[in-house]
Amino acid sequence: MSTQKVWFVTGASKGLGLSLVKQLLAAGHNVAATSRRLDDLSRAVGTADNFLPLAVDLTTESSVAQAINQTIEQFGRIDVVVNNAGYGQLGSLEELSDAEARTNFDVNVFGPLNVIRHVMPQLRSQQSGYIINLSSIGGFVGNFPGFGVYCATKFAVEGFSEALAAEAKAFGIHVTIVSPGYFRTEFLTSGSLGTPANPIDAYQSVRESQQAHQEQINGNQPGDPEKAVAILIRLADEPNPPLHLFLGQDAFDTATGKITALQQEMTTWKNVTTSTGFDAPALA
């Protein structure tokens, strides 16, 4: 580790967030970490002079602003922001209610936007900083039955992160979108995965996907979370970190499959695509 940094990590009481905080503290970094419940965070991490646990409702701007301010008061600056908090939402687009969909967007999309909005003034004033936004392979590939709303939230994260990278570049601020595949965390447990209140039996593929994720994939994910967070820490020392980083062989293979299929489809339909200009020849 080249230099000691100040990290601000959301969703730190379990999963990748918890592993990240523990590794950061062990390496001597200053860490402010958030959770909805302070007791859960303090119990999971413990206490240390370089650790600031914060109870934060990421969907409430005032709560986020207070957490950012407390971090700056405690440590004097913020070097790395990790928007990790979020949860999965199962259910077909038809069976999920408006409230279920909006709640997933509130946490997964508007939560990190609140953090970005309130941390950017500090990063701009420093003329430096690094924002890591946790997406998912489901933010790049959406063909997972029953995960349409969740994928939509992560597609949104990828979209605003690309724009943020372009906007923040002039201030010396880097942005990376991290898109993990399946890692062996609590993500597929009931506390981190919402299920539809009113399931529709006709969606056999969704029910099969739900059963597979909850009963077969959960606990058998191929990814090691400790290796994943070690990579996140390494990224913060890179002078030119990537905009997109897929984590896991499964994520790499799935992304490669989509890119290949998209290229083939674009080639097949190129004549149609390019036929719409005023000067383009008409299709036969």
Side-chain angles (χ1 to χ4, degrees):
M1 207 60 56
S2 59
T3 57
Q4 186 185 67
K5 295 181 175 66
V6 177
W7 290 64
F8 183 90
V9 182
T10 70
S13 62
K14 58 185 175 181
L16 289 177
L18 177 58
S19 295
L20 175 59
V21 167
K22 287 183 175 180
Q23 285 197 27
L24 288 170
L25 292 174
H29 291 285
N30 294 317
V31 181
T34 81
S35 176
R36 287 173 295 174
R37 291 177 290 271
L38 193 61
D39 288 348
D40 291 347
L41 185 56
S42 298
R43 185 164 51 248
V45 179
T47 60
D49 292 339
N50 56 334
F51 177 52
L52 176 63
L54 298 162
V56 179
D57 176 4
L58 294 174
T59 66
T60 302
E61 280 208 78
S62 59
S63 181
V64 172
Q66 183 179 17
I68 296 292
N69 291 336
Q70 286 180 267
T71 302
I72 296 168
E73 290 172 5
Q74 178 83 6
F75 298 122
R77 60 186 290 119
I78 297 176
D79 297 300
V80 187
V81 177
V82 182
N83 281 308
N84 168 72
Y87 72 96
Q89 178 61 63
L90 266 165
S92 71
L93 295 178
E94 179 185 353
E95 64 193 359
L96 287 178
S97 67
D98 178 80
E100 287 171 312
R102 286 178 184 273
T103 301
N104 203 209
F105 269 84
D106 282 343
V107 174
N108 291 6
V109 179
F110 292 104
L113 282 174
N114 285 339
V115 173
I116 290 165
R117 189 177 301 113
H118 287 282
V119 79
M120 278 298 294
Q122 175 65 28
L123 302 187
R124 281 193 296 105
S125 70
Q126 298 171 181
Q127 291 288 293
S128 67
Y130 186 28
I131 298 174
I132 300 174
N133 291 331
L134 266 292
S135 178
S136 163
I137 186 57
F140 188 75
V141 178
N143 61 342
F144 297 99
F147 283 92
V149 166
Y150 173 73
C151 287
T153 68
K154 293 304 184 179
F155 267 72
V157 168
E158 304 229 358
F160 75 62
S161 296
E162 289 187 358
L164 176 65
E167 295 168 357
K169 183 178 181 180
F171 308 112
I173 301 166
H174 295 289
V175 177
T176 292
I177 305 158
V178 175
S179 301
Y182 290 107
F183 279 81
R184 202 167 299 178
T185 68
E186 299 92 335
F187 181 75
L188 295 177
T189 62
S190 59
S192 299
L193 183 66
T195 55
N198 297 294
I200 299 172
D201 292 339
Y203 283 99
Q204 183 177 353
S205 63
V206 174
R207 300 285 80 77
E208 290 173 352
S209 176
Q210 180 175 341
Q211 183 179 19
H213 280 84
Q214 292 179 310
E215 298 178 13
Q216 298 164 24
I217 299 174
N218 185 32
N220 296 302
Q221 299 96 321
D224 181 345
E226 298 302 322
K227 291 181 179 179
V229 301
I231 289 172
L232 298 188
I233 297 171
R234 173 184 169 183
L235 286 176
D237 279 333
E238 292 289 336
N240 294 295
L243 175 56
H244 290 273
L245 181 68
F246 296 97
L247 283 185
Q249 185 69 53
D250 55 343
F252 183 89
D253 292 343
T254 301
T256 300
K258 175 173 179 174
I259 292 168
T260 301
L262 182 60
Q263 288 176 326
Q264 292 173 346
E265 194 169 55
M266 290 174 66
T267 300
T268 299
W269 289 89
K270 180 180 178 181
N271 288 342
V272 174
T273 299
T274 58
S275 69
T276 55
F278 286 108
D279 297 328
L283 289 175

